Amino acid sequence: MKAGRAPQERRRLTGKDRTLEHGLDGEAVAALLGGAVLKGKEPDVILRRALIDPGVYANPDAAIDGPSLVRLVREIQFSLDDVYLGFMAQECRMALETERLLSFLNCATFGEALRVSIRFTNAMSTDVGPGIVEEHGAGLQHICKYHTVPGVDRDILVWIRFVWIYHLFSWLIGRPLALREVSVRAPRPLQRNGFDRFALFSCPVRFEAPLDALSYDFSDLTVRLVHGSIQEYDDYYASAPDWFAAPAGEPSWRERTQQVLIELQKAGLWSAPIEVVAARLRTRPRRLRHDLALEGESFLDIRTRLRGELASAYLLGSDTPVTAIGFALGFSEPGSFSRNFFAWAGMAPSAYRAAYANDAAKVAAATALLKTRRIA
């Protein structure tokens, strides 16, 4: 089986894309075409085949939308027969991409698919070096290394690969991935039209970081895949997905449960029983346990994790004394808070604050979390 290009829409080229107030601007479009240009391809030809007005090319006052971006990337890939858009010295043929997909489409969970995908990618090219690192008490960091050729914009490649990874795995599990953080070595990209190309990730983004990485939530790693064939993959691209929009999918039971528990925690109910949460979700406790289990989750784990996340956010995002944090989070005794926090994070609250007080990324994430979940 071979993954084919998505059918092109049967419409005439118009100036629609060029008049967008928001979207990926023409300078970024030119950067995406950089590898193809180095290999002697005419950008106007590729843009027309992707149903994009060639006048967008290198024009900071023009832009394309999310479906146009998908068509452009696919057209560059097929024009060069190269997954990495001509940015690497060693080409990675599209047939290898199909084999890589086949290697993990039949995996049971996202975590398993991620590990299989990384192993296969490492075998495909010496110019790409992905890896995974566990973040203590937080999640899994997916580090990506790209060794590009001179004359191309490495930063745009990192961005488009992160977009592809995010949308692909969100599609595989049937809902948006709960990214904890995106970190990139590049500075924040600025466009004249004000479009933020990183906003689609819906998580904190750290620019000028020491490495390029996506950070996943541990709870996503056990979520089962809902798609498992190349045909479904081809159908996904044929549907002209919008890569600037949140991935499609209904909120998971984990997300719904978390939202109800957060509301109850704000009201001071820290150990809400599953019966109360199930009633708010208009389901039965037994059914809620079952649906959460299908997503690789448990009610008690979610409740404990939310409390621990908020505790760590207070420790790094505020100057509140440890004892006061414990009382604010419903612990009647300081010792009880310390024991519970140690069980969650593997260290005492004061040690956690000392260990990460100078970690700018963790402090920023903690501050952002407090803005939405601080207890009044």
Side-chain angles (χ1 to χ4, degrees):
M1 290 183 291
K2 181 178 181 179
R5 72 176 73 196
Q8 294 182 343
E9 301 172 8
R10 297 189 178 278
R11 64 174 175 82
R12 294 190 309 168
L13 290 172
T14 69
K16 179 182 178 182
D17 286 327
R18 296 181 61 186
T19 60
L20 288 177
E21 293 183 1
H22 296 287
L24 194 69
D25 70 8
E27 292 180 336
V29 168
L32 281 172
L33 283 157
V37 171
L38 279 180
K39 293 182 179 298
K41 299 293 184 179
E42 293 291 337
D44 286 10
V45 173
I46 294 176
L47 288 167
R48 286 194 176 92
R49 286 177 178 169
L51 304 176
I52 298 172
D53 189 328
V56 168
Y57 186 77
N59 184 351
D61 294 318
I64 63 172
D65 60 15
S68 297
L69 173 64
V70 175
R71 295 197 304 272
L72 174 61
V73 169
R74 297 294 278 174
E75 191 60 49
I76 298 171
Q77 288 176 326
F78 282 106
S79 295
L80 299 174
D81 192 15
D82 184 7
V83 173
Y84 294 106
L85 313 178
F87 277 60
M88 311 292 192
Q90 181 182 354
E91 294 179 351
C92 180
R93 301 185 65 180
M94 295 300 288
L96 284 174
E97 176 70 357
T98 302
E99 292 301 318
R100 187 168 76 93
L101 289 166
L102 287 170
S103 73
F104 65 74
L105 279 175
N106 291 319
C107 290
T109 65
F110 164 58
E112 181 185 353
L114 176 64
R115 287 175 169 83
V116 171
S117 174
I118 287 176
R119 286 199 298 268
F120 198 101
T121 302
N122 277 319
M124 284 169 58
S125 172
T126 57
D127 292 328
V128 183
I132 51 177
V133 176
E134 289 195 11
E135 296 177 297
H136 182 74
L140 198 70
Q141 191 176 54
H142 178 188
I143 301 170
C144 298
K145 299 176 182 178
Y146 300 107
H147 304 291
T148 54
V149 298
V152 296
D153 184 342
R154 182 185 178 279
D155 297 343
I156 199 74
L157 177 70
V158 172
W159 173 74
I160 197 62
R161 291 302 296 175
F162 279 11
V163 171
W164 181 85
I165 291 168
Y166 175 56
H167 277 280
L168 172 67
F169 282 117
S170 294
W171 169 77
L172 279 173
I173 65 174
R175 62 167 176 79
L177 282 173
L179 291 178
R180 300 182 65 88
E181 181 185 77
V182 171
S183 60
V184 291
R185 288 164 47 187
R188 180 186 294 275
L190 299 176
Q191 295 189 179
R192 189 178 295 179
N193 63 9
F195 179 72
D196 180 2
R197 67 184 71 155
F198 280 89
L200 66 97
F201 296 111
S202 301
C203 70
V205 180
R206 181 162 51 129
F207 297 101
E208 299 184 88
L211 45 78
D212 301 300
L214 300 165
S215 294
Y216 306 116
D217 195 292
F218 273 135
S219 60
D220 274 347
L221 301 178
T222 52
V223 175
R224 300 188 67 82
L225 305 189
V226 299
H227 297 288
S229 72
I230 293 294
Q231 184 59 57
E232 289 176 288
Y233 180 77
D234 288 343
D235 290 344
Y236 163 71
Y237 276 106
S239 69
D242 184 350
W243 275 2
F244 293 150
E250 294 295 322
S252 66
W253 284 105
R254 174 180 67 88
E255 291 171 314
R256 298 176 196 180
T257 300
Q258 283 186 165
Q259 187 56 47
V260 171
L261 283 170
I262 288 171
E263 293 171 359
L264 292 172
Q265 287 179 353
K266 286 183 175 180
L269 189 56
W270 293 101
S271 299
I274 193 170
E275 290 77 12
V276 171
V277 175
R280 292 207 177 192
L281 293 173
R282 298 183 179 181
T283 188
R284 299 185 304 277
R286 183 177 179 180
R287 181 67 187 181
L288 180 56
R289 287 192 183 94
H290 173 76
D291 289 333
L292 288 172
L294 290 177
E295 296 177 2
E297 275 285 12
S298 81
F299 176 78
L300 291 178
D301 286 347
I302 294 174
R303 193 177 69 185
T304 300
R305 183 171 63 247
L306 289 175
R307 204 175 188 183
E309 287 177 347
L310 188 56
S312 63
Y314 269 106
L315 288 167
L316 299 184
S318 76
D319 295 326
T320 307
V322 171
T323 301
I325 293 173
F327 287 138
L329 270 59
F331 293 94
S332 58
E333 299 177 359
S336 178
F337 171 54
S338 294
R339 287 191 300 274
N340 278 270
F341 188 84
F342 189 94
W344 182 79
M347 62 179 74
S350 56
Y352 184 90
R353 173 174 271 173
Y356 299 114
N358 295 320
D359 188 323
K362 286 187 176 292
V363 171
T367 303
L369 188 146
L370 277 184
K371 287 181 179 179
T372 59
R373 288 175 55 188
R374 181 185 289 272
I375 306 302

